[in-house]
């Protein structure tokens, strides 16, 4: 892709990052003379209209945000088969690259990075947007130490594709808030949770949760105990440890209310460290500490069955340890049996339904290579089966022509998707074999599914090199064609061949086109010792007889007839059936 010019304006200069959905490039905007960032949408997503529409909407929603810690994306552009997003080029390593190489960082450095992230999130949240995919990979460290957040709000487009969500999950899983895993929509609190994960790794050099698969990892975020950054890095101050814990709290209600609140605490701690002050938890705006209020436990939340007893009676019975039951024993027993039955029904339902294979949408495979198609299907737990192979003039070899079931249809996990694969064009170009040994010439022709008919002038030997071929090099011929290979020492002038310029033979070709139902374009190609060329191309009505005369060279000529660009017949004629050209 390097060197590709998009829309006659953006020239790709080097690859920055290869992701599952986007390929990120640096490019030169030739129109204004500046460097820009280009994110090319990869296959099959660049061929999914719904995904591209959702991506356009997502980019448009955040295109007006101007904040130093945010990368602002332009609208989606389409140039032929390429769809891409444009933004300013942010030179610098990603937070993930820097963390893997240098973490753990000192506390002041980690605080400065977290402060930059908070400032960027505030820009999104003030605009009424959720970043939704804040990861260490989507943050770049600039030359001045500030962090710039990238790809904000793009998560909203992933649900418009049948496979994008599953493909992006591995990169999102290490930063995904528990409530999002359990089905809630991303929110301000889930964005703050991602900052907590990043800050933990900046301070400790390792992620808070680890697992073998993305699914197991997101479950760790839901179920595993909250890790302790201070236990892994003793230089982490107790107050900073509490900030990290609050940002990474399992429940959104226990986290900071806003990025501004988190930013305030981080700045106060940063200032305290700079001036040698000590802070206690929780941090107060004035720098003093406040004793946290104890939670009030409300007793007797469930309503009483009897409203006749007074509070004094209840208190008296509790003191005596003889409080009477508000619910009769028989009713408790009946309730217990009912709950047991309901639980049994739930267990049976789960056993029956969870064991059923899930139904998934068939992704769009057209145009993908076999390896790309297998990779896309694997994300949906589907298998690929090659049903047949067909020649195609438009689609190169080993790419998908069609698939059954069709794209978008629902099938169960584990199903086989049958595909038709292109064998490429039936026509190939004769290679230039001059100067090659006879064995090498045979090998090169066999690679193109061509046969060799070798003619050696003079005494055969190791010095018998190829002087020419018939048809000549660069002529287009049908696969399986026999190519005459002439070898010897300086024999070309002495022994002209039928493929050399000269008089040919005139062939009369009768083409039965009575089966044409309507006016159609008829094309005839001829292949002889000079290669393949079009000898007739006109529009014909039904039933009109078609007889053409064609000059061809060599011992035989092959004629192929196309009706509306579809080959309908192949006619082979020997030179004995023709008359010499006058």
């Amino acid at each position: 892709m390097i060197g590709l010019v998009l829309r006659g304006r953006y020239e790709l200069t080097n690859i920055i990052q290869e992701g599952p959905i986007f390929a990120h490039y640096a490019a030169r905007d030739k129109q204004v003379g500046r460097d820009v960032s280009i994110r090319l949408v990869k296959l099959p997503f660049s061929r999914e209209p719904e995904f591209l529409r959702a991506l356009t909407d997502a980019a448009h929603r955040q295109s007006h945000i101007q904040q130093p810690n945010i990368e602002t994306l332009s609208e989606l552009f389409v140039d032929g088969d390429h769809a891409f997003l444009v933004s300013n080029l942010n030179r610098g390593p990603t937070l993930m690259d820097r963390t893997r190489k240098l973490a753990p960082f000192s506390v002041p450095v980690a605080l400065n990075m977290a402060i930059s992230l908070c400032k960027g999130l505030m820009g999104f949240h003030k605009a009424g947007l959720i970043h939704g995919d804040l990861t260490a990979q989507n943050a770049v460290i600039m030359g001045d130490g500030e962090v710039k957040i990238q790809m904000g709000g793009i998560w909203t487009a992933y649900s418009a594709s049948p496979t994008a969500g599953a493909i992006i999950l591995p990169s999102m899983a290490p930063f995904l808030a528990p409530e999002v895993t359990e089905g809630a929509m991303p929110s301000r609190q889930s964005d703050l949770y991602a900052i907590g994960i990043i800050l933990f790794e900046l301070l400790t050099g390792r992620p808070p949760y680890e697992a073998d698969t993305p699914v197991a990892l997101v479950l760790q975020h839901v179920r595993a105990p909250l890790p302790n950054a201070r236990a892994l890095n003793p230089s982490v101050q107790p107050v900073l440890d509490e900030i990290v814990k609050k940002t990474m709290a399992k429940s959104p209600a226990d986290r900071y209310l806003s990025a501004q609140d988190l930013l305030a605490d981080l700045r106060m701690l940063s200032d305290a460290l700079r001036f040698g002050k000590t802070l206690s938890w929780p941090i107060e705006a004035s720098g003093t500490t406040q004793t946290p209020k104890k939670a009030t436990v409300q007793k007797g939340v469930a309503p009483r069955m009897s409203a006749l007893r007074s509070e004094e009676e209840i208190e008296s019975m509790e003191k005596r340890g003889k409080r009477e039951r508000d619910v009769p024993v028989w009713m408790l027993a009946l309730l217990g049996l009912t709950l047991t039955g309901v639980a049994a029904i739930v267990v049976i339902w789960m056993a029956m339904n969870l064991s059923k294979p899930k139904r998934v949408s068939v992704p769009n495979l057209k145009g993908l290579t076999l390896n790309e198609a297998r990779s896309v299907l694997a994300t949906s737990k589907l298998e690929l089966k090659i049903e047949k192979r067909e020649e195609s003039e438009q689609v190169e070899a080993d790419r998908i022509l069609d698939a059954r079931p069709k794209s978008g249809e629902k099938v169960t996990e584990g199903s086989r998707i049958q595909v038709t694969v292109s064998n490429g064009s039936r026509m190939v170009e004769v290679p230039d074999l001059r100067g090659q040994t006879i064995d090498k010439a045979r090998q090169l022709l066999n690679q193109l599914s061509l046969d060799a008919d070798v003619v050696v002038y003079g005494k055969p030997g190791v010095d018998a090199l190829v002087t020419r071929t018939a048809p000549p090099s660069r002529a287009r011929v049908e696969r399986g064609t026999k190519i005459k290979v002439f070898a010897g020492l300086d024999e070309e002038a002495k022994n002209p061949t039928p493929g050399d310029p000269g008089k040919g033979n005139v062939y009369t070709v009768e083409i039965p086109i009575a089966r044409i139902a309507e006016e159609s374009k008829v094309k005839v190609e001829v292949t002889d010792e000079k290669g393949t060329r079009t000898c007739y191309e006109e529009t014909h009505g039904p039933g009109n007889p078609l007889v053409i005369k064609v000059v061809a060279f060599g011992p035989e000529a092959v004629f192929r007839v196309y009706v509306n660009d579809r080959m309908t017949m192949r006619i082979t004629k020997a030179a004995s059936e023709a008359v010499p050209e006058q």
Side-chain angles (χ1 to χ4, degrees):
M1 288 289 187
I2 303 300
L4 175 68
V5 179
L6 299 169
R7 299 193 69 175
R9 175 176 178 177
Y10 304 106
E11 182 179 3
L12 305 187
T13 54
N14 66 278
I15 183 75
I16 296 175
Q17 179 185 338
E18 188 81 27
I21 296 179
F22 299 95
H24 190 186
Y25 289 87
R28 185 69 176 172
D29 185 345
K30 299 165 72 174
Q31 184 170 313
V32 298
R34 68 185 180 99
D35 292 330
V36 296
S37 169
I38 297 287
R39 285 182 175 84
L40 272 176
V41 183
K42 300 174 70 173
L43 287 170
F45 310 106
S46 61
R47 295 183 179 177
E48 296 179 1
E50 290 298 325
F51 176 72
L52 295 182
R53 276 194 288 270
L55 193 59
T56 299
D57 292 342
H60 177 72
R61 281 192 294 270
Q62 55 92 71
S63 60
H64 66 282
I65 303 176
Q66 298 296 326
Q67 205 276 347
N69 298 96
I70 294 177
E71 174 200 46
T72 302
L73 296 170
S74 72
E75 63 180 302
L76 182 80
F77 295 102
V78 177
D79 182 3
D81 293 333
H82 301 295
F84 61 97
L85 294 163
V86 183
S87 64
N88 291 332
L89 181 61
N90 302 315
R91 299 188 182 277
T94 65
L95 207 51
M96 179 174 288
D97 292 337
R98 184 62 62 88
T99 301
R100 286 175 176 173
K101 293 177 182 178
L102 302 176
F105 294 95
S106 67
V107 170
V109 171
L111 284 175
N112 286 337
M113 293 181 186
I115 287 171
S116 288
L117 291 171
C118 285
K119 289 190 291 185
L121 272 189
M122 284 175 61
F124 279 112
H125 294 173
K126 284 182 179 179
L129 300 176
I130 305 301
H131 187 288
D133 187 18
L134 181 55
T135 68
Q137 192 71 8
N138 281 337
V140 173
I141 302 176
M142 308 302 288
D144 57 1
E146 288 285 304
V147 178
K148 181 164 286 194
I149 299 176
Q150 300 179 322
M151 300 296 281
I154 300 301
W155 65 276
T156 57
Y158 297 150
S159 60
S161 166
T163 57
I167 287 179
I168 202 69
L169 177 62
S171 63
M172 296 179 70
F175 307 90
L176 213 53
E179 69 273 14
V180 177
T181 298
E182 293 178 326
M185 294 294 287
S187 64
R188 295 184 177 190
Q189 271 61 49
S190 65
D191 280 349
L192 293 176
Y193 182 87
I195 288 186
I197 300 294
I198 294 172
L199 182 54
F200 183 96
E201 193 163 353
L202 292 174
L203 293 168
T204 65
R206 48 155 286 184
Y209 306 107
E210 295 179 297
D212 294 331
T213 65
V215 174
L217 183 56
V218 296
L219 290 177
Q220 288 283 309
H221 285 264
V222 175
R223 300 172 181 171
L226 202 63
N228 190 320
R230 183 171 168 79
L232 297 171
N233 182 358
S235 65
V236 174
Q237 291 78 5
V239 170
L240 179 54
D241 194 32
E242 293 296 331
I243 291 175
V244 175
K245 288 178 181 177
K246 184 171 182 177
T247 313
M248 290 174 53
K250 301 288 185 185
S251 170
D254 295 332
R255 297 178 206 144
Y256 284 91
L257 292 177
S258 67
Q260 187 171 358
D261 292 342
L262 173 57
L263 178 61
D265 276 6
L266 293 173
R267 277 178 167 164
M268 289 186 68
L269 179 57
S270 179
D271 290 342
L273 293 175
R274 187 181 307 141
F275 297 110
K277 295 182 180 180
T278 302
L279 292 180
S280 299
W281 182 259
I283 301 175
E284 286 294 312
S286 61
T288 61
T289 61
Q290 178 185 18
T291 304
K293 294 180 179 179
K294 293 183 178 179
T296 302
V297 180
Q298 183 179 1
K299 295 183 179 180
V301 174
R304 296 194 303 273
M305 292 294 292
S306 171
L308 301 178
R309 295 191 178 102
S310 66
E311 295 294 335
E312 291 78 7
E313 290 175 317
I314 294 172
E315 186 176 353
S316 175
M317 285 186 291
E318 285 180 340
K319 287 180 179 178
R320 298 197 305 271
K322 297 179 181 179
R323 180 171 180 175
E324 299 178 10
R325 294 182 182 273
D326 288 316
V327 183
V329 173
W330 65 268
M331 188 172 290
L332 289 174
L334 181 61
L335 182 62
L337 289 173
T338 303
L339 291 175
T340 301
V342 171
I345 292 172
V346 170
V347 170
I348 294 171
W349 182 90
M350 291 179 65
M352 292 178 64
N353 286 274
L354 293 181
S355 61
K356 289 182 180 179
K358 293 181 180 178
R359 292 184 65 79
V360 295
S361 296
V362 177
N364 184 7
L365 303 178
K366 284 187 179 180
L368 300 185
T369 65
L370 282 171
N371 287 337
E372 289 171 342
R374 287 191 175 96
S375 176
V376 169
L377 289 176
T379 63
S380 300
K381 298 184 179 178
L382 299 173
E383 297 180 9
L384 182 145
K385 180 182 179 182
I386 299 176
E387 182 179 19
K388 58 183 177 179
R389 290 178 174 268
E390 293 181 357
E391 292 178 346
S392 173
E393 299 301 315
Q394 290 78 34
V395 180
E396 63 187 78
D398 290 326
R399 288 189 178 270
I400 308 298
L401 291 172
D402 198 10
R404 292 189 304 114
K406 297 291 185 182
S407 170
E409 291 186 23
K410 292 285 187 179
V411 297
T412 56
E413 288 183 347
S415 298
R416 285 187 175 181
I417 307 302
Q418 301 190 54
V419 299
T420 302
V421 182
S422 171
N423 271 339
S425 172
R426 74 185 189 287
M427 308 297 291
V428 293
E429 191 175 273
V430 178
D432 188 353
L433 303 177
R434 289 174 298 180
Q436 302 287 350
T437 64
I438 294 174
D439 288 341
K440 183 64 175 179
R442 289 184 191 275
Q443 179 185 349
L444 293 173
L445 290 174
N446 288 338
Q447 289 174 358
L448 297 172
S449 301
L450 298 173
D451 293 332
D453 180 12
V454 179
V455 178
V456 180
Y457 293 114
K459 186 177 180 181
V462 294
D463 56 350
L465 302 179
V466 176
T467 58
R468 62 188 181 278
T469 59
S473 60
R474 304 191 68 180
R476 286 182 60 77
V477 298
E478 192 172 358
R479 293 179 189 272
T481 300
K482 184 169 289 188
I483 306 299
K484 276 200 171 184
V485 178
F486 298 92
L489 298 177
D490 297 322
E491 292 295 335
E492 184 172 3
K494 299 178 183 178
N495 297 280
T497 69
D500 289 336
K503 293 184 178 180
N505 299 312
V506 179
Y507 291 83
T508 301
V509 185
E510 297 181 7
I511 300 171
I513 57 172
R515 288 177 292 177
I516 296 178
E518 59 185 12
E519 193 169 84
S520 305
K521 184 180 74 172
V522 177
K523 182 176 75 170
V524 181
E525 287 182 350
V526 60
T527 299
D528 57 11
E529 288 193 342
K530 288 192 174 183
T532 298
R533 59 195 177 276
T534 299
C535 56
Y536 179 88
E537 188 169 9
E538 295 287 345
T539 300
H540 257 268
N544 295 336
L546 177 58
V547 179
I548 62 175
K549 293 185 180 293
V550 181
V551 176
F553 300 85
E556 68 174 22
V558 178
F559 300 89
R560 281 174 295 277
V561 181
Y562 298 84
V563 177
N564 292 331
D565 296 324
R566 181 183 180 88
M567 193 176 80
T568 59
M569 65 190 71
R570 184 175 186 270
I571 303 170
T572 301
K573 286 181 172 287
S576 58
E577 302 177 62
V579 295
E581 185 182 18
Q582 299 300 318

